[in-house]
Amino acid sequence: PLIASPVFKIDANTVVTINNVELFDYNKESISYGDANSKLKFGYGVKIKLFKTETIAATDQAWEFVGNSIISGKGAALTLEGSQKIRVGAGSTLTLEDLRLVITDADSLKMLSATSKIVFDNCDLILQLENGLEIDDGNIDVIGKLRVFGGDAADANISSRLSFFSSGFFKVKNASLLRFGQNVIFEYRASPAADGGSLFASKRHFILEGAT
């Protein structure tokens, strides 16, 4: 849709799940919802292509992923305002590709299960508050490079935390790079819930997969 007015209308009390669809130049204004119980869910094989800056505001419907899908930014920015604006369901993988992801709430990017996964493929992660981003469930893969920046919207000299509290795995794949920029604290405190409660065993959840 190249126009802002809704071209896809979801009736009240209706949930629509789409699969195997490419949403080219997607924008949230193209969807209208009949009421608060109306939902659009992204299932398997969905690729959302953003070609301009987009914001999921606190009052907007969350983007909910219930299958293996991709958000491709082509360098564009996606800002998440408020709690759980992107939700990744059980058994689902969301790949963020060539995207600048701006976080304004520690719970903005949410995995709902230990079997959920987010893949950062050549992305910038911009944390605009001191609490930064908390990953308390699911798994993270880094492909290519992930650069993490801290601070706040007013460019104040504060440090932002990227916190990994999950019982899942944080993997930097072979030939990939995880880079922490200025004003970033990486807090790694993986849950030992999947390790028989052993805090020592929980250290194995941060993995550099290859010699490169």
Side-chain angles (χ1 to χ4, degrees):
L2 299 178
I3 56 175
S5 60
V7 296
F8 187 61
K9 298 182 179 182
I10 301 175
D11 286 344
N13 295 305
T14 301
V15 177
V16 177
T17 302
I18 58 175
N19 296 283
N20 299 313
V21 173
E22 183 174 285
L23 300 172
F24 189 85
D25 196 19
Y26 180 75
N27 65 81
K28 64 187 181 186
E29 288 80 13
S30 62
I31 312 294
S32 70
Y33 300 92
D35 64 6
N37 296 318
S38 306
K39 295 185 183 301
L40 175 64
K41 296 185 178 183
F42 304 106
Y44 288 91
V46 174
K47 186 167 188 176
I48 299 173
K49 289 188 174 182
L50 305 177
F51 293 105
K52 58 184 181 302
T53 296
E54 183 69 80
T55 298
I56 309 176
T59 56
D60 290 335
Q61 288 265 10
W63 292 10
E64 188 163 352
F65 294 87
V66 293
N68 298 341
S69 299
I70 299 171
I71 301 176
S72 180
K74 302 298 183 183
L78 176 62
T79 299
L80 308 182
E81 296 180 349
S83 176
Q84 297 192 24
K85 292 293 98 180
I86 286 181
R87 297 159 54 91
V88 183
S92 301
T93 296
L94 173 62
T95 299
L96 304 175
E97 176 183 273
D98 298 322
L99 184 70
R100 291 173 54 83
L101 189 66
V102 182
I103 300 293
T104 66
D105 185 290
D107 200 36
S108 289
L109 186 63
K110 183 70 174 180
M111 286 181 280
L112 303 179
S113 166
T115 59
S116 306
K117 180 185 286 188
I118 293 174
V119 178
F120 291 99
D121 182 356
N122 287 309
C123 290
D124 288 345
L125 182 61
I126 299 133
L127 310 176
Q128 289 196 338
L129 70 167
E130 188 173 357
N131 288 339
L133 177 64
E134 295 181 356
I135 304 298
D136 59 5
D137 211 349
N139 306 273
I140 296 287
D141 282 358
V142 175
I143 298 175
K145 64 182 178 183
L146 171 63
R147 301 186 301 176
V148 186
F149 301 94
D152 70 3
D155 293 325
N157 189 28
I158 67 168
S159 293
S160 301
R161 288 192 304 274
L162 173 62
S163 303
F164 187 79
F165 301 150
S166 176
S167 61
F169 293 91
F170 194 127
K171 297 180 181 180
V172 182
K173 307 295 279 187
N174 191 48
S176 299
L177 173 69
L178 172 60
R179 178 179 179 180
F180 297 109
Q182 186 177 7
N183 295 335
V184 175
I185 296 169
F186 179 42
E187 182 179 9
Y188 172 80
R189 187 156 45 89
S191 167
D195 307 300
S198 168
L199 289 173
F200 178 80
S202 72
K203 295 180 180 180
R204 69 186 176 91
H205 292 258
F206 184 77
I207 299 171
L208 303 178
E209 278 209 335
T212 57

